[in-house]
Amino acid sequence: MELPLSCIERRVRKIKKNIFSSNFDLYNFVCPSTYDTAWLAMIPHSKYPSQPMFNNYLDWLLNNQKPQGYWGESDTIECLPPTIVSMVALIKWNTGKSMVDKGRSFIHANADKLLNEVKDDCPRWLAIVLPAMIELADEIMGLDVLFTKSSRDTMSYIANRRKSFLNKEEVVGDFDWYPPLMSYLEALPPSYVNEKDICKNLSADGSLFQSPSATAKAFMAYGTQECLDCLQSLAQRCPKAVPQAYPMDEDLIKLCIVNQLQKLGLGEYFMGEIEILLTKVYRNYSKEQNSRVQPLNMNALQLQKDSLAFELLRTHGFKVSPLRFCWFLNHDEIRAKVEKDYEHFSSAMLHVFRASNLMFSGEYELKEARTFSRKLLEQIVSTGKGCLLRQIEHELSFPWFARLNHLEHRMWIEEREVNALWKGKMSYNRVSYLYNDELLQLATLNFELKQLLYKNELKELKSWAENYEISNMGFGREKTSYCYFAIAAALTSLPYDSYVRMFLAKSAIIITVADDFFDSIGSLNELQILTDAVQSRWDTRGLSSHSKVIFDALDNLVSEASRNYLQQEGTSDDISRSLKDLWYEVFLSWLIEAKWSRNGHKPSLDCYLKTGMTSACPHVLVLPSSCFLKPSLPTKTLKLTAYENITKLLMIICRLLNDVVSYQKEKEEGKLNSVLINMMENPEFNIEDSINFVREIVEKKKKELLELVLIDGLCDLPKPSKQLHLACLKVFEMFYNSKNRFDSNTDLVEDINKAIYLPLGRTTKCFSPQTFPKKKHTISIIHNNFPFKHNSKIGFTRMRFMTPKVGLGFI
C-alpha cells in the first residue's frame, strides 16, 4: 500500500504538472456551463442548416448527462434550465432520444422536490430563465416537459415573478439590476428586443454581456457578424464545452487558483508557483490606473476581483492600496445598487469584508468598507438563505485574528461550497470537477497526515511533562493539550519543524505552571530564591518541591535548545546565556507583580504595563523559537536591549488581551491589571469605559503589528520570525478574544477534537480534558527537500516545512 507521504508527493507533482505547466489553459480551471454549451449546440451551420455549427458541443451534451438523468453541476433547482435546454438541443438535431426520455423522467420524478427550494422566494435569474426554457421546449420544439400537478402552483408563482421582472425592468439601458435583463436575451420574448438594441449593447469582443447563451441567441435571431466572430473565437478557445462567461478575466482565475490552494492548506507545497502567479497579477494590477468607475459599467465581478487581489497581494507582501477596491464607496449610485441587490453582490461583499481584515493604521476607507460590507452580510444572514450562508456566518462570527490555520483548513475541506469561485449570470462559476477533486484529495491527505503527526507530538509532549512532573504540580492549570493544540493549529502552514512546535509548547507549559506558582502558592521567599537561581547560578541549590520542578523543566528546555542550535548552525555560538537572560527577565516580572499583589502596591498604568508586557511572555516564545527557523534570527536579537518594535507590540497586545477578559477574576483575588488601574487613574470611567479604552489600544496596535509583518523593509527581523509573531498574536487572540478560553476546561475541547483527533467529516467526541486516545501510531517524519518524508528505520524524528520564497502563505 502506498505510504501517505509518497502519495502526497505524487499528487503535488501531478497538480504542478497539470495546473502550473506552461501550456495550461486557465479556462480549464473553471467548470463548463451545460446551459451555455447547449445554446451553442443549437446553432445551425451557416452552409448546412440541417447540421449543428458546433458539433463538438452536441457531442459533449451526449457524453455528459448525469446517471440520474439531469444535466448540470448538481441535482438542485439549478439543474432544471440546463437539463431542459440540453433536451431541446438533442431533439433539434434528432439524436439522443433515450437521453431525452431519461431527462423527462428525472424532471417528472424530482420536480416537486426541486421547486420546493424556491416556492417562497424564487431568484431573479430562475424566474426569468426557467419559464422561458419550458416555453422553448413545449411550444417551439414540441417537447412536453412533464411537471406534476402539485408543481404547477409553484410554476405559476415563478411565471408571475417573471412577468413582474419583465414589467418593471427596462430591457435596454436599465442597469438597476445586475446582470442586466439584456444578458438573458435567450429567455426574453422576441418583442422585447430588436437588432438595434443588440448592436447597441455588444461588447468590443462581440459578446452580449460576456454571456455565450445570449450571444448565441443574438446570432441566431439577427445573424450579427460580431456575435459570430465571438462565438467562433470561443469555440477555438474552448473546443469541448462552453464556460458561463466569455471572455473570462484570466487574472481573476489566477487569483482563484491561489485562493483555493491557500484556504485548503496547500500553499506550502506551491510557494514558488504562487509567487509567479501573483507577480503576474501584480504587474497587470500596477499598470491599471485607479478605478474611475461609471455607474453603468459597475458589476459585482470587478469588485470581487479587486478585493481578492488586494487580500492576496497584501498577504504576500506586495504594496497595494485599499483604494484599488474601495472605489465603490465614492459613488452613491453604486452603493445604492449594491444595497438594493445585495443578494447578487453577496460574494463580492464577502470578499470586501475579508480584505478589510488586513487593515493597517490610518486606512479609513477600509474601515468604511468593512462597516458597509458587514451590514449587508448581516442582512443576508437574517434571510437564512444563500449559497454562501455558512461562509458568511463564519466570517462574521470569528474574528480573523482569532482563527487558527489548521481549523480553517478543515472548515474549507468540509465546506460544500468550497469550489464556488464567483457568481455568474445564473449560478456560481466553480472549480472544474477534475481539479476540485484533485485539490480536495490532496488537502484531505495533507490534513490527515498532520493530524497523525500532531497526535504523536502531543503524546511525546505529555510524556515529557510527566517525566519532569510539571503536569502533576497539584495546583493551578494543567494545560499541556491546550498549549500544544494552539501552537500546532496556528503554525500548520508555516515552515516550522517538529522541534520548534515542541519547543514552543514546552515553553508555554512552563510559563503556565510558573505563572500560577508565582500568582498563588509560592511564598515571597520561595519566589525570590527561584528568581535568583534563574538569574545567576542556574542550579537547583536551595530549591525544593515546586520550585525545583519548575527549574528542572526550564533547565532541560534551555539545554536542549542550546544543543540543537549548535547542531543546526554548525558554529560555536552558544545561545544558552541569552535564553537564561530572557527567562530571568520573565521571572523577575512575575516576582515584581507578586510583591505588588501581596503588599497592596498600586502601580501607575505606565509602570504596570512596563512589567506586564514582560510577564505576558510572548517574547520568550517567539524570539528563541525564531533561532530555529530559516533564515534564523540573529542571536544578537535575544539580548536584553531594546526589542524590535514588532516584538514590543506583540508583548503589549498580549498583555492587554489577557487583562480585558481577566479583570474580574483578578479583582476578586486582590490583584490589579490595566483595566482596573485605568479606572483608578480616570475616576470618570466606569468598567465598560475602561474596557473599551483598552480594546481601542489593542485594535490600534494590532494594525501596526500586521503592517510590520506583511510589508518588507519596516522591520529587521527575518520574514519567518515576523510570521511567528503574527501566529503568536492569533493564539493569544483565540484564547482571550471574547472570554478567557485558556482557563476554561471545556471551551476548547471541540476545537482540539477537530484539530487532532476527529477524522474529516465526523463530529463525534474523541477527546475530553481527562482522557486521550491510547492508540499508537508508527508514522515517522524527517526533513528533506520535500515537506514530508517517511523513514521507518529512524522512527519519529524531526520534520521541517520548506521555507517559503516569498511572503505569507497561510491566510
Side-chain angles (χ1 to χ4, degrees):
M1 185 175 71
E2 186 177 22
L3 293 171
L5 297 171
S6 59
C7 184
I8 288 176
E9 185 174 10
R10 176 177 57 79
R11 289 181 181 274
V12 169
R13 286 197 303 265
K14 180 181 178 182
I15 291 173
K16 287 186 176 183
K17 180 179 179 181
N18 290 341
I19 298 181
F20 296 103
S21 64
S22 58
N23 60 351
F24 176 68
D25 188 343
L26 290 167
Y27 278 37
N28 291 335
F29 189 73
V30 182
C31 191
S33 165
T34 303
Y35 179 83
D36 291 274
T37 301
W39 270 100
L40 266 75
M42 285 194 285
I43 301 175
H45 196 285
S46 55
K47 292 184 179 180
Y48 310 102
S50 62
Q51 300 177 17
M53 177 179 289
F54 304 111
N55 194 65
N56 47 325
Y57 295 147
L58 184 63
D59 290 341
W60 189 88
L61 294 177
L62 291 168
N63 290 305
N64 282 274
Q65 185 181 35
K66 297 297 188 290
Q68 298 92 324
Y70 68 90
W71 279 267
E73 298 174 14
S74 62
D75 57 347
T76 65
I77 189 66
E78 291 184 359
C79 78
L80 278 183
T83 297
I84 295 173
V85 76
S86 295
M87 293 160 59
V88 169
L90 296 183
I91 288 281
K92 178 171 184 175
W93 303 117
N94 194 28
T95 186
K97 183 178 183 304
S98 62
M99 301 177 76
V100 173
D101 292 340
K102 192 173 183 180
R104 294 177 64 192
S105 298
F106 170 83
I107 293 174
H108 184 71
N110 294 278
D112 287 350
K113 179 187 73 172
L114 298 178
L115 291 171
N116 192 56
E117 298 176 22
V118 296
K119 66 177 183 179
D120 298 319
D121 186 17
C122 179
R124 172 175 173 264
W125 73 266
L126 186 69
I128 295 171
V129 171
L130 182 57
M133 296 307 102
I134 294 173
E135 291 174 9
L136 177 69
D138 216 5
E139 299 173 12
I140 301 177
M141 302 307 302
L143 177 62
D144 181 22
V145 180
L146 296 177
F147 285 96
T148 62
K149 185 176 181 181
S150 57
S151 301
R152 290 173 186 168
D153 288 342
T154 305
M155 285 304 306
S156 177
Y157 155 71
I158 294 174
N160 289 331
R161 288 272 288 175
R162 181 175 187 249
K163 291 179 182 178
S164 173
F165 285 123
L166 293 180
N167 288 335
K168 73 180 179 181
E169 297 181 40
E170 295 290 336
V171 177
V172 181
D174 185 353
F175 291 85
D176 280 347
W177 295 91
Y178 201 91
L181 204 53
M182 178 74 81
S183 67
Y184 296 99
L185 176 66
E186 77 282 358
L188 300 180
S191 60
Y192 271 62
V193 186
N194 57 45
E195 186 174 2
K196 183 178 178 181
D197 297 332
I198 299 294
C199 294
K200 183 178 178 181
N201 285 277
L202 285 181
S203 303
D205 52 51
S207 72
L208 194 61
F209 295 100
Q210 286 74 50
S211 169
S213 51
T215 307
K217 177 63 176 180
F219 173 70
M220 286 191 284
Y222 301 105
T224 311
Q225 184 61 42
E226 292 89 343
C227 293
L228 177 59
D229 293 341
C230 176
L231 295 171
Q232 289 176 335
S233 171
L234 169 58
Q236 186 174 6
R237 178 71 185 266
C238 305
K240 294 182 179 179
V242 174
Q244 192 174 171
Y246 180 83
M248 288 192 285
D249 188 326
E250 296 194 15
D251 277 350
L252 176 60
I253 300 175
K254 293 172 187 174
L255 291 168
C256 289
I257 291 173
V258 173
N259 197 37
Q260 289 296 110
L261 291 173
Q262 292 194 167
K263 66 188 184 184
L264 292 173
L266 301 176
E268 63 201 89
Y269 297 106
F270 302 94
M271 291 305 298
E273 289 78 11
I274 288 174
E275 178 183 0
I276 292 171
L277 285 183
L278 290 182
T279 300
K280 291 179 179 177
V281 171
Y282 183 69
R283 190 179 300 123
N284 295 334
Y285 193 78
S286 301
K287 289 178 182 178
E288 298 172 2
Q289 296 180 351
N290 286 336
S291 299
R292 296 179 178 176
V293 180
Q294 297 299 320
L296 295 183
N297 295 333
M298 195 273 167
N299 64 71
L301 186 57
Q302 186 64 45
L303 183 53
Q304 176 169 332
K305 176 194 172 184
D306 289 347
S307 52
L308 179 58
F310 173 85
E311 178 188 359
L312 294 177
L313 291 172
R314 174 163 283 192
T315 297
H316 285 80
F318 293 89
K319 292 183 179 180
V320 288
S321 168
L323 293 174
R324 296 305 300 271
F325 79 93
C326 292
W327 44 260
F328 71 97
L329 296 172
N330 300 321
H331 297 269
D332 292 339
E333 188 175 355
I334 293 176
R335 292 177 62 148
K337 289 174 183 174
V338 176
E339 290 174 326
K340 179 180 179 181
D341 197 11
Y342 62 84
E343 181 183 345
H344 179 74
F345 286 91
S346 58
S347 182
M349 287 296 103
L350 180 57
H351 280 278
V352 168
F353 189 79
R354 285 173 178 158
S356 71
N357 289 325
L358 304 178
M359 192 187 312
F360 297 160
S361 292
E363 293 186 328
Y364 302 109
E365 22 332 82
L366 264 183
K367 185 177 181 180
E368 185 181 357
R370 184 174 184 84
T371 302
F372 181 84
S373 57
R374 173 181 277 278
K375 177 184 175 182
L376 294 185
L377 293 175
E378 288 173 345
Q379 202 168 342
I380 293 169
V381 170
S382 69
T383 67
K385 300 174 182 178
C387 171
L388 304 179
L389 184 61
R390 285 179 57 187
Q391 294 180 36
I392 294 172
E393 289 175 335
H394 176 76
E395 197 68 38
L396 295 178
S397 302
F398 299 97
W400 177 78
F401 274 109
R403 297 180 208 160
L404 304 185
N405 301 327
H406 190 54
L407 292 177
E408 284 294 288
H409 298 157
R410 178 179 185 128
M411 186 274 289
W412 281 112
I413 293 170
E414 294 178 329
E415 168 58 45
R416 61 178 177 268
E417 296 294 341
V418 66
N419 66 336
L421 299 177
W422 67 83
K423 191 157 181 72
K425 186 177 87 172
M426 292 172 55
S427 60
Y428 274 87
N429 287 277
R430 299 177 182 276
V431 182
S432 71
Y433 299 124
L434 172 63
Y435 297 120
N436 187 56
D437 287 347
E438 287 185 356
L439 292 175
L440 280 176
Q441 289 171 17
L442 176 58
T444 298
L445 284 171
N446 186 48
F447 186 89
E448 291 174 343
L449 179 62
K450 288 180 180 179
Q451 279 191 315
L452 191 54
L453 170 67
Y454 296 162
K455 289 175 190 175
N456 280 280
E457 289 183 353
L458 180 53
K459 180 181 178 182
E460 181 183 337
L461 183 67
K462 288 174 66 66
S463 177
W464 172 84
E466 291 171 1
N467 290 340
Y468 281 90
E469 301 181 347
I470 202 166
S471 61
N472 302 303
M473 299 291 277
F475 69 89
R477 302 163 292 179
E478 200 294 299
K479 296 295 181 180
T480 301
S481 298
Y482 274 33
C483 292
Y484 178 79
F485 149 74
I487 289 161
L491 307 185
T492 181
S493 294
L494 294 175
Y496 299 124
D497 64 7
S498 178
Y499 174 71
V500 174
R501 282 192 298 275
M502 296 297 281
F503 177 83
L504 282 164
K506 290 177 182 179
S507 300
I509 293 167
I510 293 172
I511 289 169
T512 303
V513 173
D515 183 47
D516 287 345
F517 181 61
F518 274 77
D519 269 354
S520 57
I521 197 171
S523 68
L524 285 179
N525 185 55
E526 288 177 310
L527 303 183
Q528 185 68 63
I529 294 173
L530 177 56
T531 303
D532 290 342
V534 174
Q535 177 191 16
S536 53
R537 63 180 186 273
W538 199 266
D539 61 39
T540 59
R541 284 178 294 167
L543 300 179
S544 61
S545 185
H546 301 311
S547 295
K548 186 176 185 301
V549 171
I550 292 170
F551 183 87
D552 284 343
L554 179 59
D555 180 54
N556 169 261
L557 179 76
V558 172
S559 299
E560 185 180 51
S562 300
R563 290 193 301 271
N564 278 312
Y565 185 77
L566 289 172
Q567 181 180 0
Q568 170 185 295
E569 297 299 316
T571 68
S572 58
D573 289 343
D574 185 3
I575 64 170
S576 60
R577 183 68 263 167
S578 296
L579 297 181
K580 293 172 183 178
D581 289 343
L582 278 174
W583 280 99
Y584 167 66
E585 183 186 36
V586 170
F587 274 71
L588 180 60
S589 70
W590 288 334
L591 179 61
I592 292 172
E593 291 181 341
K595 289 179 178 180
W596 287 348
S597 175
R598 299 179 195 192
N599 295 333
H601 177 68
K602 297 179 180 179
S604 67
L605 185 58
D606 287 343
C607 182
Y608 167 79
L609 290 178
K610 183 177 180 181
T611 300
M613 62 191 288
T614 301
S615 65
C617 302
H619 65 304
V620 86
L621 293 171
V622 297
L623 294 180
S625 302
S626 295
C627 293
F628 300 95
L629 305 178
K630 292 296 182 182
S632 63
L633 186 73
T635 54
K636 65 180 182 180
T637 313
L638 297 178
K639 304 297 182 183
L640 298 185
T641 55
Y643 293 120
E644 287 276 351
N645 191 35
I646 188 174
T647 305
K648 290 189 286 186
L649 284 169
L650 177 65
M651 294 166 72
I652 192 66
I653 293 169
C654 292
R655 166 47 60 205
L656 295 179
L657 281 170
N658 185 294
D659 285 359
V660 167
V661 298
S662 61
Y663 73 88
Q664 186 63 44
K665 174 186 174 185
E666 294 183 342
K667 181 180 180 180
E668 294 169 356
E669 295 176 352
K671 302 172 186 176
L672 292 174
N673 73 15
S674 59
V675 174
L676 301 174
I677 296 174
N678 189 40
M679 288 182 62
M680 293 167 49
E681 294 187 356
N682 298 276
E684 72 278 11
F685 277 15
N686 59 31
I687 190 65
E688 290 302 321
D689 293 331
S690 187
I691 290 173
N692 290 335
F693 177 80
V694 173
R695 282 178 172 161
E696 286 177 6
I697 296 175
V698 169
E699 291 305 310
K700 180 176 181 294
K701 299 297 183 184
K702 286 195 298 188
K703 294 182 180 71
E704 293 175 9
L705 183 142
L706 184 63
E707 185 171 8
L708 293 176
V709 171
L710 297 183
I711 303 301
D712 291 336
L714 301 181
C715 173
D716 291 335
L717 296 186
K719 188 172 290 291
S721 180
K722 294 194 296 181
Q723 294 171 351
L724 181 56
H725 278 69
L726 179 59
C728 185
L729 169 57
K730 296 186 82 169
V731 167
F732 271 78
E733 184 86 18
M734 180 274 297
F735 280 138
Y736 304 119
N737 169 56
S738 58
K739 60 180 178 178
N740 192 336
R741 301 182 76 194
F742 187 73
D743 285 354
S744 169
N745 288 326
T746 57
D747 269 11
L748 293 176
V749 170
E750 182 180 355
D751 286 346
I752 293 173
N753 273 325
K754 288 182 177 180
I756 301 176
Y757 298 108
L758 280 175
L760 288 165
R762 278 185 52 189
T763 57
T764 307
K765 184 176 179 180
C766 313
F767 155 77
S768 70
Q770 291 78 32
T771 60
F772 292 81
K774 301 294 184 180
K775 184 178 179 180
K776 295 183 179 180
H777 302 281
T778 57
I779 194 165
S780 305
I781 314 288
I782 62 172
H783 168 58
N784 206 327
N785 291 328
F786 191 74
F788 305 103
K789 285 291 180 180
H790 183 273
N791 189 315
S792 58
K793 296 181 179 179
I794 296 178
F796 190 77
T797 56
R798 293 180 67 179
M799 185 280 288
R800 176 176 295 151
F801 288 89
M802 293 183 292
T803 303
K805 298 179 180 179
V806 60
L808 290 174
F810 71 103
I811 298 176

